[in-house]
Amino acid sequence: MQTECMPGALAFQGVAGREVVARFDGGTLTSDGGAVLLREADRATNLLGQFAACFTDHRDPTRVTHPVASLVRQRVYGLALGYEDLNDHDALRHDPLIAVLAESGDLAAPGAGKSTLNRLELTGTTVGEQARYKKITVDHDAVDRLLVNVFVQAHATPPTEIILDLDATDDPIHGMQEGRFFHGYYGHYCYLPLYIFAGEHLLCARLRPSDRDASAGALEEVARIVAQLRAVWPAVPITLRADSGFCRDALMTWCETHAVDYVFGLAKNARLIALIAKELTDAAATCTETKQPARVFAELTYATLDSWTCARRVVAKAEQLTPATADGAGKSNPRFIVTSRAMTDVDARTLYENVYCARGEMENRIKEQQLMLFADRTSAATMRANQLRLYFSSVAYVLLASLRRLGLAGTTLARAQCTTIRLTLLKIGARIRVTVRKVWLALASGCPHAALFAQVHANLRRC
């Protein structure tokens, strides 16, 4: 059996005539010294305090070591710092900075382990008297309201316009989980979460099984969000924007009856293409003449044969990508959008190129949450537990977005993605020393971004 021991010194290959020796005697160190910036962003917005208030703790307070607010903070900060799994917290709980971030009462005590944090996810809708461990419930409706409230709180004055971007994406599942269905378009078993953003602000993250239309449940979520926004800003115009997966008569009719504009993609078909035959011919002629892609826009009043209740304004883009040759007619790319915006309000080209195409930026925000903040780690057995994991990822995204909005404004990282922010400003080595009155962080002297760090700190302190 191998003996457990702490080596006194570890010798490595020498350099420049000197020995290279390592020892585990550096003191109380952390690799996440820059996370105090995240904490400053949280203190400026009270995001995690509001999120923790969505939980109800039914545990005996005399037996509680880690309050629910500390558990919530530890879980969210872990995701923001790149620790995607609960298993990571068995080692992370001993990081001295975790106690500072979680705001636990005893800074010398370790944080919560994976088993304690797991109780947040495994608690059911209600807690019975016989429950022994799973006694922390979360109010999903309260979390949904919180995401919209944080957006409202971020504006000192009402915005001139609110554009709500809707989209669905695939979230691969991990075994025989509740809500397991195969999705033909994505080609695997997955969930189909619905996201709603307003710019970079996340307003809704709803986990759904994939055995349904991409727009399923969107009307209910939009109605809830619009009602919450209009209770604060009744005069601010609101526009919905989405691809053709959300071009459904029920959603468009609701918008028309509730004074909400929409700009939706419209799937092309033979009838639509026939209506823009002249524009396609003109675009092909221009492309042949200039040897460059050409676009011609057209205005239509269009109604489906039986799925729409009325005719609506459709904007068509007749685009020729490659000129015709002796071997073929070249490559065309007709596209269509349907909108409630009037022609006198915005012309066809501006509506398509400047309004509709801008929705592509939302996909970058989804990638941030899915790939950089681990929204796809939905491997729990139940939909309820996986929805809570999606909430944690969503709040971690909102926290980093708050840091970007409040701390990075006017810096070179003002539009940086979450991973860039994490690697540049948060992953900084530091020595921690706790005294009676202070927690001292000795950040790495060789940090190449020290000046930027100081500028971000100053911005956050002004908030």
Side-chain angles (χ1 to χ4, degrees):
M1 181 176 179
Q2 185 176 358
T3 304
E4 293 185 5
C5 61
M6 182 64 70
L10 302 174
F12 293 88
Q13 297 291 332
V15 61
R18 295 176 174 84
E19 296 182 10
V20 177
V21 181
R23 297 174 63 94
F24 286 94
D25 60 355
T28 307
L29 304 175
T30 180
S31 61
D32 301 309
V36 288
L37 291 180
L38 274 179
R39 184 169 179 269
E40 288 298 303
D42 174 48
R43 302 303 288 182
T45 60
N46 191 30
L47 170 64
L48 299 186
Q50 295 180 79
F51 185 39
C54 300
F55 293 79
T56 302
D57 192 352
H58 297 278
R59 297 176 297 173
D60 182 355
T62 63
R63 298 172 179 264
V64 170
T65 302
H66 305 287
V68 67
S70 295
L71 297 178
V72 169
R73 286 190 172 93
Q74 181 177 333
R75 185 75 168 102
V76 173
Y77 280 121
L79 290 169
L81 292 171
Y83 303 102
E84 58 193 84
D85 290 320
L86 285 175
N87 291 343
D88 297 328
H89 287 266
D90 269 5
L92 186 63
R93 65 195 295 250
H94 299 290
D95 188 317
L97 192 61
I98 282 296
V100 176
L101 298 177
E103 300 185 13
S104 57
D106 185 0
L107 296 183
K114 65 178 185 298
S115 299
T116 302
L117 291 169
N118 189 234
R119 296 173 189 174
L120 294 172
E121 300 175 1
L122 297 184
T123 304
T125 306
T126 58
V127 175
E129 291 297 328
Q130 71 279 8
R132 183 175 181 183
Y133 297 113
K134 303 162 188 173
K135 295 187 175 184
I136 304 174
T137 59
V138 59
D139 184 344
H140 286 207
D141 293 338
V143 181
D144 293 337
R145 291 191 298 270
L146 166 66
L147 293 176
V148 181
N149 286 337
V150 171
F151 169 68
V152 172
Q153 294 163 8
H155 292 79
T157 59
T160 57
E161 180 187 20
I162 298 174
I163 297 180
L164 300 179
D165 287 307
L166 294 78
D167 205 355
T169 188
D170 65 316
D171 177 5
I173 66 171
H174 308 268
M176 301 300 294
Q177 299 165 243
E178 182 184 1
R180 178 181 188 267
F181 290 99
F182 185 86
H183 197 285
Y185 177 80
Y186 293 111
H188 55 232
Y189 290 90
C190 62
Y191 294 129
L192 194 68
L194 168 68
Y195 289 97
I196 301 179
F197 282 81
E200 68 170 16
H201 296 269
L202 175 61
L203 303 187
C204 174
R206 176 71 63 233
L207 194 67
R208 306 172 300 174
S210 62
D211 63 332
R212 59 199 61 197
D213 185 73
S215 66
L219 176 55
E220 292 77 10
E221 301 296 343
V222 166
R224 171 182 61 82
I225 292 172
V226 169
Q228 196 170 345
L229 292 175
R230 283 187 167 163
V232 183
W233 300 316
V236 175
I238 298 175
T239 299
L240 301 190
R241 184 169 59 186
D243 63 19
S244 59
F246 294 84
C247 182
R248 302 293 181 263
D249 185 72
L251 186 55
M252 292 187 288
T253 300
W254 183 91
C255 290
E256 290 158 357
T257 57
H258 289 81
V260 174
D261 281 319
Y262 58 84
V263 181
F264 293 152
L266 177 60
K268 59 187 175 184
N269 57 49
R271 286 181 61 213
L272 283 168
I273 293 175
L275 291 173
I276 59 168
K278 178 182 181 302
E279 287 78 10
L280 286 171
T281 301
D282 292 343
T286 302
C287 182
T288 300
E289 179 182 351
T290 63
K291 308 302 181 186
Q292 298 292 328
R295 290 180 173 183
V296 178
F297 288 88
E299 292 276 2
L300 309 173
T301 298
Y302 176 80
T304 61
L305 295 178
D306 55 11
S307 60
W308 288 6
T309 54
C310 64
R312 295 180 170 101
R313 179 193 180 195
V314 169
V315 167
K317 178 195 71 170
E319 183 174 40
Q320 187 73 20
L321 298 176
T322 59
T325 64
D327 298 328
K331 184 177 181 181
S332 63
N333 182 39
R335 289 288 187 268
F336 303 88
I337 59 175
V338 58
T339 182
S340 61
R341 302 277 293 270
M343 285 184 283
T344 55
D345 180 30
V346 56
D347 65 272
R349 179 180 291 272
T350 301
L351 184 70
Y352 186 91
E353 295 183 340
N354 296 352
V355 179
Y356 177 72
C357 288
R359 64 167 296 277
E361 184 62 23
M362 179 206 186
E363 297 181 7
N364 292 328
R365 306 286 75 79
I366 293 178
K367 289 177 182 177
E368 280 191 290
Q369 189 175 350
Q370 292 272 111
L371 304 180
M372 304 175 193
L373 292 166
F374 321 112
D376 60 349
R377 302 299 291 175
T378 47
S379 56
T382 66
M383 289 284 291
R384 180 178 177 81
N386 287 320
Q387 177 64 65
L388 182 54
R389 290 190 176 188
L390 183 56
Y391 281 145
F392 276 120
S393 171
S394 300
V395 174
Y397 166 83
V398 174
L399 180 60
L400 276 165
S402 298
L403 174 61
R404 179 166 53 201
R405 174 173 51 86
L406 299 175
L408 301 180
T411 72
T412 56
L413 296 184
R415 296 181 57 81
Q417 292 189 327
C418 293
T419 295
T420 302
I421 296 172
R422 180 189 296 146
L423 296 178
T424 304
L425 292 175
L426 307 183
K427 292 294 183 179
I428 300 176
R431 177 179 287 109
I432 300 179
R433 184 166 59 93
V434 180
T435 65
V436 175
R437 297 183 180 277
K438 291 186 179 182
V439 176
W440 297 88
L441 284 180
L443 299 171
S445 302
C447 176
H449 308 291
L452 175 62
F453 189 97
Q455 182 180 355
V456 174
H457 172 262
N459 290 344
L460 290 171
R461 295 295 288 181
R462 281 194 294 270
C463 295

